PDB file of all heavy atoms in Angstrom:
ATOM      1  N   ARG A  85     -15.107  -1.994 -17.806  1.00  0.00           N
ATOM      2  CA  ARG A  85     -14.583  -1.471 -16.568  1.00  0.00           C
ATOM      3  C   ARG A  85     -13.827  -2.545 -15.789  1.00  0.00           C
ATOM      4  O   ARG A  85     -12.827  -2.242 -15.153  1.00  0.00           O
ATOM      5  CB  ARG A  85     -15.754  -0.933 -15.752  1.00  0.00           C
ATOM      6  CG  ARG A  85     -15.320  -0.306 -14.403  1.00  0.00           C
ATOM      7  CD  ARG A  85     -16.493   0.099 -13.539  1.00  0.00           C
ATOM      8  NE  ARG A  85     -17.213   1.146 -14.228  1.00  0.00           N
ATOM      9  CZ  ARG A  85     -18.412   1.620 -13.744  1.00  0.00           C
ATOM     10  NH1 ARG A  85     -18.866   1.122 -12.596  1.00  0.00           N
ATOM     11  NH2 ARG A  85     -19.079   2.539 -14.372  1.00  0.00           N
ATOM     12  N   ARG A  86     -14.309  -3.732 -15.773  1.00  0.00           N
ATOM     13  CA  ARG A  86     -13.636  -4.782 -15.014  1.00  0.00           C
ATOM     14  C   ARG A  86     -12.224  -5.028 -15.565  1.00  0.00           C
ATOM     15  O   ARG A  86     -11.255  -5.130 -14.791  1.00  0.00           O
ATOM     16  CB  ARG A  86     -14.406  -6.128 -15.100  1.00  0.00           C
ATOM     17  CG  ARG A  86     -13.829  -7.241 -14.231  1.00  0.00           C
ATOM     18  CD  ARG A  86     -14.741  -8.438 -14.268  1.00  0.00           C
ATOM     19  NE  ARG A  86     -15.956  -8.137 -13.541  1.00  0.00           N
ATOM     20  CZ  ARG A  86     -16.103  -8.222 -12.241  1.00  0.00           C
ATOM     21  NH1 ARG A  86     -15.089  -8.535 -11.503  1.00  0.00           N
ATOM     22  NH2 ARG A  86     -17.278  -7.928 -11.656  1.00  0.00           N
ATOM     23  N   LEU A  89     -10.049  -1.807 -14.742  1.00  0.00           N
ATOM     24  CA  LEU A  89      -9.606  -1.722 -13.408  1.00  0.00           C
ATOM     25  C   LEU A  89      -8.649  -2.825 -12.999  1.00  0.00           C
ATOM     26  O   LEU A  89      -7.787  -2.698 -12.190  1.00  0.00           O
ATOM     27  CB  LEU A  89     -10.835  -1.623 -12.461  1.00  0.00           C
ATOM     28  CG  LEU A  89     -11.591  -0.295 -12.608  1.00  0.00           C
ATOM     29  CD1 LEU A  89     -12.888  -0.408 -11.780  1.00  0.00           C
ATOM     30  CD2 LEU A  89     -10.789   0.822 -12.220  1.00  0.00           C
ATOM     31  N   GLY A  90      -8.891  -3.963 -13.631  1.00  0.00           N
ATOM     32  CA  GLY A  90      -7.950  -5.105 -13.381  1.00  0.00           C
ATOM     33  C   GLY A  90      -6.611  -4.716 -13.843  1.00  0.00           C
ATOM     34  O   GLY A  90      -5.612  -4.995 -13.169  1.00  0.00           O
ATOM     35  N   MET A 479     -12.633   3.101  -1.128  1.00  0.00           N
ATOM     36  CA  MET A 479     -13.100   3.029  -2.519  1.00  0.00           C
ATOM     37  C   MET A 479     -14.541   3.499  -2.623  1.00  0.00           C
ATOM     38  O   MET A 479     -14.937   4.228  -3.609  1.00  0.00           O
ATOM     39  CB  MET A 479     -12.979   1.582  -2.980  1.00  0.00           C
ATOM     40  CG  MET A 479     -13.439   1.344  -4.478  1.00  0.00           C
ATOM     41  SD  MET A 479     -13.287  -0.363  -5.004  1.00  0.00           S
ATOM     42  CE  MET A 479     -14.479  -1.129  -3.950  1.00  0.00           C
ATOM     43  N   LEU A 492     -10.668  -4.468  -4.483  1.00  0.00           N
ATOM     44  CA  LEU A 492     -11.270  -4.012  -5.757  1.00  0.00           C
ATOM     45  C   LEU A 492     -12.629  -4.669  -6.019  1.00  0.00           C
ATOM     46  O   LEU A 492     -12.750  -5.841  -6.105  1.00  0.00           O
ATOM     47  CB  LEU A 492     -10.346  -4.222  -6.925  1.00  0.00           C
ATOM     48  CG  LEU A 492     -10.823  -3.680  -8.221  1.00  0.00           C
ATOM     49  CD1 LEU A 492     -10.988  -2.173  -8.174  1.00  0.00           C
ATOM     50  CD2 LEU A 492      -9.908  -4.082  -9.352  1.00  0.00           C
ATOM     51  N   ASP A 493     -13.677  -3.816  -6.132  1.00  0.00           N
ATOM     52  CA  ASP A 493     -14.965  -4.250  -6.629  1.00  0.00           C
ATOM     53  C   ASP A 493     -15.401  -3.262  -7.666  1.00  0.00           C
ATOM     54  O   ASP A 493     -15.904  -2.211  -7.409  1.00  0.00           O
ATOM     55  CB  ASP A 493     -15.973  -4.236  -5.447  1.00  0.00           C
ATOM     56  CG  ASP A 493     -17.327  -4.744  -5.892  1.00  0.00           C
ATOM     57  OD1 ASP A 493     -17.558  -4.999  -7.080  1.00  0.00           O
ATOM     58  OD2 ASP A 493     -18.172  -4.975  -4.971  1.00  0.00           O
ATOM     59  N   PRO A 494     -15.184  -3.643  -8.998  1.00  0.00           N
ATOM     60  CA  PRO A 494     -15.491  -2.719 -10.086  1.00  0.00           C
ATOM     61  C   PRO A 494     -16.901  -2.212 -10.077  1.00  0.00           C
ATOM     62  O   PRO A 494     -17.170  -1.090 -10.583  1.00  0.00           O
ATOM     63  CB  PRO A 494     -15.206  -3.595 -11.345  1.00  0.00           C
ATOM     64  CG  PRO A 494     -14.205  -4.590 -10.853  1.00  0.00           C
ATOM     65  CD  PRO A 494     -14.606  -4.902  -9.433  1.00  0.00           C
ATOM     66  N   ALA A 495     -17.843  -3.013  -9.551  1.00  0.00           N
ATOM     67  CA  ALA A 495     -19.274  -2.569  -9.539  1.00  0.00           C
ATOM     68  C   ALA A 495     -19.473  -1.343  -8.622  1.00  0.00           C
ATOM     69  O   ALA A 495     -20.474  -0.665  -8.792  1.00  0.00           O
ATOM     70  CB  ALA A 495     -20.111  -3.723  -9.062  1.00  0.00           C
ATOM     71  N   LYS A 496     -18.553  -1.131  -7.715  1.00  0.00           N
ATOM     72  CA  LYS A 496     -18.698  -0.031  -6.771  1.00  0.00           C
ATOM     73  C   LYS A 496     -17.749   1.174  -7.082  1.00  0.00           C
ATOM     74  O   LYS A 496     -17.751   2.073  -6.313  1.00  0.00           O
ATOM     75  CB  LYS A 496     -18.450  -0.562  -5.319  1.00  0.00           C
ATOM     76  CG  LYS A 496     -19.466  -1.568  -4.921  1.00  0.00           C
ATOM     77  CD  LYS A 496     -19.253  -2.039  -3.475  1.00  0.00           C
ATOM     78  CE  LYS A 496     -20.210  -3.070  -3.063  1.00  0.00           C
ATOM     79  NZ  LYS A 496     -20.012  -3.527  -1.676  1.00  0.00           N
ATOM     80  N   VAL A 497     -17.057   1.065  -8.194  1.00  0.00           N
ATOM     81  CA  VAL A 497     -16.185   2.168  -8.506  1.00  0.00           C
ATOM     82  C   VAL A 497     -16.875   3.242  -9.281  1.00  0.00           C
ATOM     83  O   VAL A 497     -17.685   3.040 -10.207  1.00  0.00           O
ATOM     84  CB  VAL A 497     -14.941   1.640  -9.385  1.00  0.00           C
ATOM     85  CG1 VAL A 497     -14.140   2.772  -9.871  1.00  0.00           C
ATOM     86  CG2 VAL A 497     -14.120   0.719  -8.546  1.00  0.00           C
ATOM     87  N   SER A 498     -16.620   4.553  -8.872  1.00  0.00           N
ATOM     88  CA  SER A 498     -17.246   5.657  -9.543  1.00  0.00           C
ATOM     89  C   SER A 498     -16.981   5.691 -11.030  1.00  0.00           C
ATOM     90  O   SER A 498     -15.794   5.500 -11.437  1.00  0.00           O
ATOM     91  CB  SER A 498     -16.776   6.940  -8.868  1.00  0.00           C
ATOM     92  OG  SER A 498     -17.063   8.079  -9.670  1.00  0.00           O
TER      93      SER A 498
END
Side-chain angles (χ1 to χ4, degrees):
R85 182 183 297 174
R86 183 174 294 275
L89 291 173
M479 181 179 67
L492 181 63
D493 183 351
K496 297 181 180 180
V497 172
S498 165

